[in-house]
Amino acid sequence: MTHKIRTRARVESAAWFLSPFVVLLAAWLVAIPALDVSPRTFPSAPAVWSALVDQTAAGELIPHVLSSLGRVFLGAGIAVAVGVPAGLLMGMSAALSTFFSPLLRFSVALAGIAWIPLATLWLGYGNGAVVFVVFNAVFFAIVYNSMLGVRQTGTSLLRAARSLGASRWQMFWEVYLPGALPNIVTGLRVGLGFAWRGLIAAEIIATSTGLGYTLFLARQYYETDVIILMMILIGVLWLVMDRLLLAPFERRTIQRWSGERKARA
């Protein structure tokens, strides 16, 4: 019975989540023919579907999708590997967290697109510049949120660990890192949102593959159907990544750590 209730709740949640997109699609199907909008101004929904079929049949779409996803995962992976330890170490020191907080807030506002000119100057045109932009977008969000997560770890939990003789290394792995995980996942979600924006902009400028490049190339030939298709794919990829991977991981992390804190209090 409980399984059926959970399944029904998930179906209802998915239906509510998709409902505005269904309404938007219906309005799109009706408005474009009714208003007799030129395809060079805005394409019809069937034209975008045809573009999807044509690009897939020609074998052009999948390589571009894989190129963009590969750059996102590589840049974000490096940012997590470097940013989480850096943020935790900063958070473990009150002096360091106080000193770096203003700088990190400043950097979060500039992360991503603003670094594209320097990225191309330093790394040239190609994957390196795009991966750097993605890394930059995720890194500062991860560091800042990791640091906040450490600072928000319960005082009673810290005292209990120290009274049991936990070493600094054990405090790092067994107390600070688990305690900061909810903030780390939140930082990753925020950073990846900025990363996708930076990725598309960087691909337009610095590469000859990827969804951003395809979008920009279509503009030169007035292929509005391809432009809208790329925009939809970018949004769908981000929603799938966020809803199916990041959001459940964040929810489970928060639930588990909250339970552990109550149990240990």
Side-chain angles (χ1 to χ4, degrees):
M1 190 68 177
T2 304
H3 177 70
K4 290 183 179 179
I5 294 174
R6 289 179 180 176
T7 302
R8 181 178 177 181
R10 289 174 182 171
V11 172
E12 290 178 353
S13 176
W16 276 109
F17 180 79
L18 293 174
S19 59
F21 297 101
V22 174
V23 172
L24 181 62
L25 176 60
W28 186 11
L29 287 168
V30 172
I32 298 300
L35 298 175
D36 194 24
V37 178
S38 168
R40 293 185 64 169
T41 302
F42 201 89
S44 64
V48 175
W49 175 257
S50 296
L52 173 62
V53 173
D54 293 342
Q55 293 249 337
T56 304
E60 298 176 356
L61 184 61
I62 300 302
H64 288 302
V65 171
L66 293 178
S67 293
S68 293
L69 285 176
R71 290 162 184 154
V72 167
F73 284 122
L74 180 57
I78 297 172
V80 170
V82 178
V84 170
L88 294 179
L89 291 173
M90 289 180 190
M92 291 169 67
S93 169
L96 286 178
S97 62
T98 301
F99 179 81
F100 281 107
S101 286
L103 180 61
L104 290 173
R105 292 176 186 173
F106 174 82
S107 300
V108 167
L110 295 177
I113 297 176
W115 285 88
I116 293 176
L118 284 177
T120 54
L121 286 175
W122 293 342
L123 302 171
Y125 291 88
N127 280 333
V130 181
V131 171
F132 175 80
V133 170
V134 174
F135 163 84
N136 194 283
V138 178
F139 175 76
F140 291 106
I142 282 284
V143 172
Y144 184 62
N145 280 275
S146 299
M147 185 183 69
L148 286 180
V150 172
R151 303 308 300 170
Q152 292 172 3
T153 302
T155 305
S156 59
L157 184 61
L158 297 177
R159 289 175 179 170
R162 288 170 183 149
S163 66
L164 292 172
S167 65
R168 193 166 182 81
W169 186 250
Q170 288 175 317
M171 293 287 291
F172 182 90
W173 281 107
E174 299 178 20
V175 179
Y176 288 120
L177 178 58
L181 270 179
N183 292 75
I184 292 172
V185 179
T186 299
L188 181 60
R189 290 184 72 184
V190 173
L192 279 173
F194 288 121
W196 273 101
R197 302 175 202 174
L199 170 83
I200 301 308
E203 285 182 340
I204 288 174
I205 297 172
T207 66
S208 58
T209 58
L211 297 174
Y213 171 77
T214 307
L215 188 152
F216 184 72
L217 189 65
R219 170 195 168 276
Q220 299 181 8
Y221 298 100
Y222 295 96
E223 295 175 335
T224 55
D225 52 348
V226 178
I227 293 173
I228 297 300
L229 173 62
M230 294 302 112
M231 292 171 65
I232 292 173
L233 287 175
I234 292 164
V236 167
L237 287 172
W238 164 241
L239 282 179
V240 169
M241 184 183 297
D242 185 64
R243 295 285 296 182
L244 298 185
L245 296 177
L246 297 176
F249 181 47
E250 181 181 34
R251 185 166 54 251
R252 290 170 186 169
T253 302
I254 292 173
Q255 289 173 349
R256 170 165 182 171
W257 187 241
S258 296
E260 289 185 6
R261 282 182 173 177
K262 292 177 181 178
R264 294 179 184 181

